[in-house]
Amino acid sequence: MEIRQLRHFMAVVEEGGFTAAARAELIVQSALSTSVRNLERELGADLFDRTGRRVVLTEAGRALLPQARALLAGAVAAKEAVAAVAGLATGRVSIGTIQTLTCVDLPAELAAFHGEFPGVQVSVKDATVGELTEALRAGELDLAYLAPDGPGLPDGLSAFATWHEELVLITAPGHPLAAAGRTLVRDLADEAFIDFRAGTGLESAVRRLAAHCRLERRITCDVTQIRLLVDLVRAGIGVAFVPRPIGEEAGLPCVRIRQPEPGRTVVLAGRAPRPRNPAAVALLDHLTGAAPAGAGRRGGRRPDAG
């Protein structure tokens, strides 16, 4: 049974005959009659009594009538639902992020996106890089901000934009390094460190930096929340490497690393060269076209095209 056949059936009912129905449907009468005959053959019953001068519904036709109306209404509703999503009157998009994201003010960008597309529901997931990567591959996320542990993304993922974040050493106020304002990584061997949880983009970047400089860090505490890390540094338990905006927002001394200059790459990634979800496409376009962070935003710069 085809929607087209039901539409032809309803046209005969509403127009009172095959000739008028064909004219209303903009097809020849023979084609409309064939369509209705095929429907009757499929249902195993005549739908119209054709013996008189006027076409009349049979009992089978009267039984089909409310069902045909409901099915056609459902088809129209389905088209409207798809059109609404395509036009972003409604929809859903899921995005993941590393906890220490600073190159983009994600809450502000999502607020702006919501203002433009208020009917689109946005789901946000904060997790480790590995967890976000698997969620992208499994289709649980449309987009994610990652800090890859290496020069490229895992197979099957595409980079839509990249940023570079500067890392600094934060210390408690009054720490000897705070007055200096800068240091070498090799001079930090006697410092106690607070580390972020394993598997995060920040931990990976710091681990690579320490390995490159052959620094054996003495880790006194490791945490899973960046705010706790900042509070522990403020309390004097140790020092830590963080993106510069985190230290500046916390009001802690930010000691610049003179050599090598530490940093990490952040990537806005997805599963394919272009998302299939219309809401994800709209969010991607918004995020990659967003202005660089400036006044009132966390530090960063316009993303490089992926």
Side-chain angles (χ1 to χ4, degrees), residues 95 103-106 108-110 112-113 116-117 143 145 160-163 268 274 280-293 297 301-306:
I95 183 168
C103 57
V104 174
D105 188 344
L106 189 57
E109 297 301 343
L110 292 181
F113 178 77
E116 187 175 358
F117 303 105
L143 304 167
Y145 286 99
F160 300 121
T162 60
W163 295 260
L268 177 59
R274 190 73 170 167
V281 171
L283 181 57
L284 174 62
D285 289 343
H286 175 82
L287 294 173
T288 55
R297 286 180 162 190
R301 62 184 177 85
R302 183 177 293 277
D304 300 320

Side-chain angles (χ1 to χ4, degrees), residues 205-224:
V206 173
R207 176 166 36 81
R208 288 196 303 270
L209 174 65
H212 176 74
C213 298
R214 298 181 179 178
L215 172 65
E216 294 286 342
R217 288 184 300 152
R218 180 165 57 90
I219 300 174
T220 58
C221 192
D222 61 89
V223 299
T224 60

